Amino acid sequence: MKIGFIGLGNMGAPMAQNLARGGHSVTGYDTATISLQGVGSASSATEAVDGAEVVVTMLPNGDILRRVAAEIIPAMQKGAVFLDCSTVDVDSARAVAEMARDAGLLPLDAPVSGGVGGAQGGTLTFMVGGDEDGFEKAKPLFDIMGQKAVHCGASGNGQAAKICNNMILGITMIATCEAFALADKLGLDRQAMFDVVSTSSGSSWSMNTYCPAPGVGPKSPADNDYKPGFAADLMLKDLRLSQAAAETADADTPLGAAAMALYAAFVEEEDGAGRDFSAMLPRFSGRGRGS
Ligand code: NAD
């Protein structure tokens, strides 16, 4: 397929290269000067999408996506798939999809989980909103860039699935970290805590697969001085998106709001910027009830 790829950052670059390695003709564009082996380089976004059957975007946020969409949609050929893999707010995803559909395109919002490692290894999970025919057309590309693509329904539902999942993740990570910090103060050994909780009703992905305590459970960023992994900054972005969506949809999400406030303090006022999101454990360990 002839593919245009816009946004060649930490995630987009390896995704574009995997598509090229998979035998597709990929032309990339980024506002930063980025040249990638196997990927053609365009001097503008409109040049990158010219004649493309699928256009992939992997951009920082909803405002940038809206701006790029307004520029490229008129330049795209009718019937092409507009595959946005960025994590953005549900409203922007739905607005861009409507604009694309009106122009005769097949829009899909398909945010990913799996991080930079998943992008490099072609093992991402895609959560996809949009029509079935667009999903079917993009399926061979999901198979190259990822290991799983779940069709979640109408436009915006991919973003909805992503932020709901990550809201659960942020909340369970905080719960796991504060429980470890309490266990420490009660004199309970961290390994014993893991052995009990990981096989009991308090278990979760945060405890069992991504344990925030160094030296306990499977290898995780905690064992690498909390280098990300999944940065606390990105968790804060996703929690903010979840709370913006909750506001629009009039949903009651008190723990999501509390998790957002804690990650905001951690990233913006404390030492959380650039650290893995599981570094909430040393944060809680260093505090007492009044701090
Ligand atoms: P990044 O900042 O590394 O990459 C974004 C790229 O977009 C940059 O290269 C930037 O120059 C480019 N860009 C910005 N404005 C542009 C424009 N107008 N036209 C063309 N290019 C433009 O970010 P990333 O880590 O690659 O993340 C991309 C998206 O994926 C984000 O929405 C993020 O939330 C999501 N995501 C990231 C991760 C992760 O672990 N990094 C995991 C899951 C989802």
Side-chain angles (χ1 to χ4, degrees), residues 66-249:
R66 284 176 191 252
R67 278 208 300 278
V68 169
E71 190 185 339
I72 62 174
I73 284 173
M76 285 174 64
Q77 67 177 27
K78 290 230 176 329
V81 176
F82 186 152
L83 174 58
D84 176 46
C85 297
S86 330
T87 303
V88 304
D89 57 288
V90 176
D91 288 349
S92 292
R94 290 192 170 142
V96 165
E98 195 179 327
M99 215 194 302
R101 206 171 283 115
D102 288 349
L105 306 174
L106 298 169
L108 296 172
D109 54 292
V112 302
S113 72
V116 177
Q120 289 167 341
T123 57
L124 295 168
T125 294
F126 291 85
M127 295 146 260
V128 191
D131 294 341
E132 187 67 39
D133 43 353
F135 183 74
E136 285 306 319
K137 213 167 158 188
K139 210 161 177 312
L141 307 186
F142 293 138
D143 290 341
I144 292 172
M145 296 186 286
Q147 59 185 359
K148 192 172 173 191
V150 181
H151 191 201
C152 301
S155 290
N157 286 14
Q159 300 295 347
K162 162 108 189 173
I163 57 174
C164 288
N165 180 73
N166 282 16
M167 188 174 80
I168 295 171
L169 177 61
I171 292 168
T172 54
M173 181 54 80
I174 287 169
T176 304
C177 291
E178 66 179 39
F180 262 120
L182 172 61
D184 288 346
K185 294 200 175 182
L186 296 174
L188 173 61
D189 178 64
R190 286 183 170 182
Q191 184 64 51
M193 166 85 171
F194 176 83
D195 291 344
V196 170
V197 174
S198 65
T199 53
S200 301
S201 45
S203 66
S204 70
W205 187 87
S206 297
M207 175 61 87
N208 294 34
T209 309
Y210 206 92
C211 183
V216 176
K219 278 257 169 302
S220 70
D223 300 305
N224 190 25
D225 203 21
Y226 296 102
K227 291 195 182 70
F230 184 41
D233 320 52
L234 285 176
M235 173 50 83
L236 175 59
K237 172 187 173 180
D238 292 353
L239 286 167
R240 285 197 163 127
L241 291 175
S242 77
Q243 294 316 289
E247 182 78 36
T248 311

